[in-house]
Amino acid sequence: MNLTASGLLFFAFAVLTLGAGTAVALVREPVRAALVGALCFVGVGLLYLWLGAEFLGFIQWLVYVGAVAVLIVFVILLTRREDAGGETEGGRFAGLRVLGGLGVALALFGALAAAVLGSGSLYREVPEEPMVLEIAALGRELVAGAVPPLILVGVVLTVALVGGVTLALVERKPDA
Amino acid sequence: MNYLELISHVLPEIAVLVTALVLIGMGCAGGSRGGGKAVLAVTAAGLGLALAAVVFGPESGRLLEGMIVVDALTRLFKAVLLALTLGTALFLFPGGEAGGNEGRGAENSALLLLALLGLLVVVGTENLLLLFVGLELASLALYLMVVFAAPAGRPAEAALRYFFFGSVAAAFLLFGFSFIYGATGSIDLRVIAKVLAAHPVEPILPLGVGLALVGFGFKVAAVPFHLWAPDVYQSAPAPAAGFIASASKVAGFFIVAKVLVLGFGVVEGSADWGAFAMGWAPLVAVLAALSMVVGNLAALAQQSVRRLLAYSGIGHSGFILTALVAANAEAVRAVLFYSVIYGVASLAAFGVAGCVLRARGADRLEDFAGLGRTAPAAAGVLALALLSLAGLPPLVGFFGKFQLFAAALSGGTPGTVPGLLWLVALALLMSAVSLYYYLRVLKQVFFAPAPADAAPTRDTSAGTAVCLVCGSVLVLLGLFPSLVLQPLQRALVQLF
């Protein structure tokens, strides 16, 4: 296998994404974990760009890095407790738990890899001419074919908002 | 397609959504002192309007590639869900679940309706994307209902557990759906079925179905994805627990049956003894067997009645999945019929457990002592509900279980030993086990003397009314099961 510049880029992006993803699980401080998580999202966006899916890549950055990561940081800052991170999860079965988690993860990865590699239809010939993505077509699709899910997602966000506000009110006045 | 046509097909959902928004407005305007009666009136009116929209709305239609589906079956189940939600809403109110819950009646009702909206969408779609978003809407509202009304400590922990398990399950579901899309190129169940019938199955598809089954298994609390259920049932406010055990489970079984039979009937495989064939049937059979054994045996050891009901619910998921393995029209009819009567019985049982909890402050078995004398109506309904769950004739539970097991045995070639006999034998054994723990509760209710110092549990008006309605439904359907079976049969003819 000879590495081209494009291949090197892919590996750089992949290492960035996987490394940041691993760090999210390993870093102890929640704020740092959130920031490394944002880095992971950036890596995923870069991978999309590398694949030629510009729209998806930019949306990934806009939505995940721009909004979701910031939201996570906000939540961490708002729910900060004095005693956060005091007690360590551990005990006698810590090693067993790690082994169990690794086992499940490996089994799942193996199943996924075997299924993807075994499915011939995933290696279909891709048409040579580049796919042109019209943003206007996406917009039309959103207000025609995808109206029900779009509206429903709005309702989901409303529920989240109502719940967040009500729970925050309770936190404010613990005696009520 | 124009928007007007679309709106006319989702009028029940719109009625529920608008009512929920009105309730949120009332919660904002009324501050923390919302009038309970007004909230109940608005909720009931909204549900009534939605029910009218279901009954008098369009009789059939399929819009936007299966995103909105209206037929006899979806209309029947939308009506069932609306009725169960109305029962739950009545439990919330006057003298209803009060503990730490005062002044948040409006928000609670709004969340109840939004959860219902999610379930209505789920029932009325054949599109995997909308199905997922609807499930998420219902789940999110239910997490909040569990965490609300929590004094401190335990319920918050239960809600957190529910949330984490639910999020992971949702991720599995979506991951599975993405593989299904990758393998078939569609998220419309009917198109998926056509593609599967015409093309050879590739390994990526069973993987997708398996991952989706994990998500569904969580939704219906099947072992080994059941770990959230006991804590949530025990710690959640009684109405929320009742809703999770009734409406949410009915919708859960509805979509599991619909997705598996309608979309993936071709790749069913076989769980017949000695003739296993890869597909979803063996997986469902394993879930069913584990759920029956773990649920019913764990229920034997419980002291808290709500926890006992949770484990019994897990066991019932096993019974219902047993019939689903057969995957023919008869099995689907039995699954849907039993999920409805299970929902009604659960709602009644949780209602009575909530009454006892309110009066005594706990729901251990001892707290039910003497209930038969102090609150005869509640005790009678509890007896009806539990005996129906146990499957004793002439209650409808007997008929429902009979149908489930008969459907499971009906598959296979005639004249030979039915392939699913092993599963049905296990189900019968576990059914006998379940009778023991139901009778343990009833023994306390009717034969144990009430402790002298404890506050007696009295019948309350609204709660008892709902319980009585549930109880009479159980008896009436036991005597005349065709009242539900015939419409169900007619509706299923369109599906198959």
Side-chain angles (χ1 to χ4, degrees), chain B residues 43-119:
Chain B
T43 311
L47 289 172
L49 272 180
L51 200 58
V54 170
V55 175
F56 300 111
E59 291 199 347
S60 66
R62 196 168 194 280
L63 302 179
L64 295 173
E65 295 165 354
M67 276 193 187
I68 309 287
V69 176
V70 177
D71 59 24
L73 193 64
T74 63
R75 290 171 72 215
L76 183 66
F77 271 81
K78 281 181 185 176
V80 168
L81 290 178
L82 287 166
L84 286 174
T85 310
L86 186 62
T88 312
L90 285 172
F91 276 139
L92 276 163
F93 288 100
E97 181 72 14
N101 199 12
E102 292 95 345
R104 263 203 256 134
E107 286 88 343
N108 252 325
S109 281
L111 284 176
L112 180 72
L113 290 183
L114 288 168
L116 169 70
L117 174 65
L119 297 182

Side-chain angles (χ1 to χ4, degrees), chain B residues 172-257:
Chain B
F172 268 90
L173 197 63
L174 198 57
F175 204 23
F177 284 175
S178 73
F179 278 106
I180 291 169
Y181 177 65
T184 60
S186 175
I187 49 173
D188 179 348
L189 282 177
R190 288 188 190 267
V191 176
I192 289 176
K194 271 190 206 128
V195 172
L196 288 182
H199 298 280
V201 174
E202 301 201 324
I204 198 168
L205 182 89
L207 188 75
V209 177
L211 289 173
L213 265 183
V214 173
F216 287 140
F218 164 83
K219 202 70 209 157
V220 299
V223 177
F225 314 113
H226 66 291
L227 290 166
W228 58 275
D231 284 335
V232 168
Y233 282 41
Q234 186 183 12
S235 313
F243 188 80
I244 294 172
S246 59
S248 169
K249 248 190 165 164
V250 171
F253 279 113
F254 183 88
I255 55 156
V256 174

Side-chain angles (χ1 to χ4, degrees), chain A residues 112 119-121 143 149 166 170, chain B residues 3 104 130 148 179 202 204 207:
Chain A
L112 287 175
S119 295
S121 70
V143 293
T166 319
V170 178
Chain B
Y3 283 159
R104 263 203 256 134
L130 204 57
F148 274 10
F179 278 106
E202 301 201 324
I204 198 168
L207 188 75

Side-chain angles (χ1 to χ4, degrees), chain B residues 347-449:
Chain B
L347 190 61
F350 272 101
V352 177
C355 290
V356 172
L357 184 71
R358 212 157 37 241
R360 298 266 175 90
D363 71 331
R364 288 161 305 162
L365 280 175
E366 303 92 86
D367 295 307
F368 282 71
L371 189 69
R373 249 151 289 150
T374 55
V381 172
L382 184 65
L384 283 179
L386 292 186
L387 292 178
S388 176
L389 287 176
L392 289 194
L395 296 165
V396 69
F398 167 75
F399 191 76
K401 267 193 191 167
F402 178 77
Q403 287 242 315
L404 281 182
F405 300 156
L409 292 180
S410 69
T413 43
T416 56
V417 178
L420 289 175
L421 189 63
W422 65 278
L423 200 56
V424 173
L426 187 66
L428 287 175
L429 181 69
M430 286 303 143
S431 209
V433 170
S434 75
L435 185 60
Y436 176 76
Y437 58 77
Y438 292 130
L439 287 181
R440 255 176 80 212
V441 179
L442 293 181
K443 186 181 135 204
Q444 287 287 329
V445 169
F446 290 106
F447 298 111

Side-chain angles (χ1 to χ4, degrees), chain A residues 15-137:
Chain A
V15 167
L16 173 72
T17 309
L18 291 178
T22 318
V24 173
L26 297 180
V27 168
R28 292 189 58 85
E29 187 75 21
V31 179
R32 284 193 190 158
L35 293 178
V36 192
L39 198 61
C40 179
F41 294 149
V42 171
V44 175
L46 283 172
L47 281 172
Y48 283 140
L49 290 185
W50 182 81
L51 284 167
E54 280 92 5
F55 178 76
L56 211 53
F58 289 127
I59 285 291
Q60 168 81 15
W61 282 351
L62 272 180
V63 174
Y64 280 88
V65 184
V68 174
V70 174
L71 196 68
I72 293 174
V73 173
F74 260 126
V75 169
I76 292 171
L77 293 179
L78 283 177
T79 56
R80 205 102 208 243
R81 289 282 195 292
E82 294 303 311
D83 57 351
E87 211 165 300
T88 52
E89 190 64 30
R92 284 176 298 164
F93 300 113
L96 213 62
R97 259 190 242 132
V98 170
L99 276 183
L102 275 180
V104 171
L106 277 180
L108 195 61
F109 180 74
L112 287 175
V116 170
L117 292 178
S119 295
S121 70
L122 295 180
Y123 305 103
R124 268 187 300 249
E125 284 288 311
V126 182
E128 272 302 307
E129 70 270 25
M131 205 166 67
V132 182
L133 183 76
E134 221 189 315
I135 305 294

